[in-house]
Amino acid sequence: MISEGTFTVSGFTGVPVEQDAEPVSTALAVGFATMVKQYAGGVEGRSTTLFTSAFDPEHGVGTYVAMESFEGTLDGRAGTFNFVHAASTHGTDRYDEHFAVVPSSGTGELAGIAGGGALVVDADGTHRMRFDYTLG
């Protein structure tokens, strides 16, 4: 099954990270943030996201990894589940993308969800999420 929706982000908040050892300094600083996303369309609901990246905001170059906890519906099926996605950018593109539903994370009518998907950013800036999934 394929379910698609658009989303908006709110509450993107940087979070300080305490480390036991002296952090390794690289050419790109590593940061951590939390955010909330609201979904509309075939994907309806909200997610809370843990987001980390090594990114140069001046040049738009870097990589991110996000773990999301979603609650809502996929094509009218209600429940919750986790999914992870990552990508790299040179500032004008997305590559080395990864997207996966976390095994055994589904509840309610989404229990047994498995699969992948994609995050797509349209030329006009609209953000879209697509889930290509099965229910076990």
Side-chain angles (χ1 to χ4, degrees), residues 7 15 22 66 77 81 94 96 101 105 125:
F7 70 89
V15 177
E22 182 68 27
R77 294 174 188 89
F81 63 94
R94 286 175 58 88
D96 289 340
V101 172
S105 66

Side-chain angles (χ1 to χ4, degrees), residues 9-90:
V9 174
S10 65
F12 189 89
T13 306
V15 177
V17 177
E18 293 185 29
Q19 296 183 352
D20 292 337
E22 182 68 27
V24 174
S25 293
T26 65
L28 294 179
V30 174
F32 182 70
T34 61
M35 69 179 82
V36 175
K37 292 181 181 174
Q38 287 294 139
Y39 292 87
V43 179
E44 185 79 34
R46 74 179 189 105
S47 70
T48 56
T49 306
L50 301 176
F51 182 90
T52 189
S53 66
F55 190 71
D56 175 355
E58 182 180 340
H59 297 101
V61 175
T63 298
Y64 82 90
V65 177
M67 177 65 70
E68 299 203 29
S69 299
F70 174 83
E71 67 178 356
T73 61
L74 297 183
D75 296 320
R77 294 174 188 89
T80 65
F81 63 94
N82 300 103
F83 63 100
V84 62
H85 53 97
S88 295
T89 182
H90 291 109

Side-chain angles (χ1 to χ4, degrees), residues 61-135:
V61 175
T63 298
Y64 82 90
V65 177
M67 177 65 70
E68 299 203 29
S69 299
F70 174 83
E71 67 178 356
T73 61
L74 297 183
D75 296 320
R77 294 174 188 89
T80 65
F81 63 94
N82 300 103
F83 63 100
V84 62
H85 53 97
S88 295
T89 182
H90 291 109
T92 58
D93 60 352
R94 286 175 58 88
Y95 64 97
D96 289 340
E97 295 176 274
H98 173 76
F99 193 112
V101 172
V102 175
S104 299
S105 66
T107 68
E109 294 175 305
L110 299 175
I113 189 169
L119 187 159
V120 176
V121 182
D122 294 344
D124 67 1
T126 301
H127 285 63
R128 298 182 183 281
M129 195 69 75
R130 184 185 80 240
F131 293 95
D132 184 357
Y133 68 99
T134 61
L135 293 171

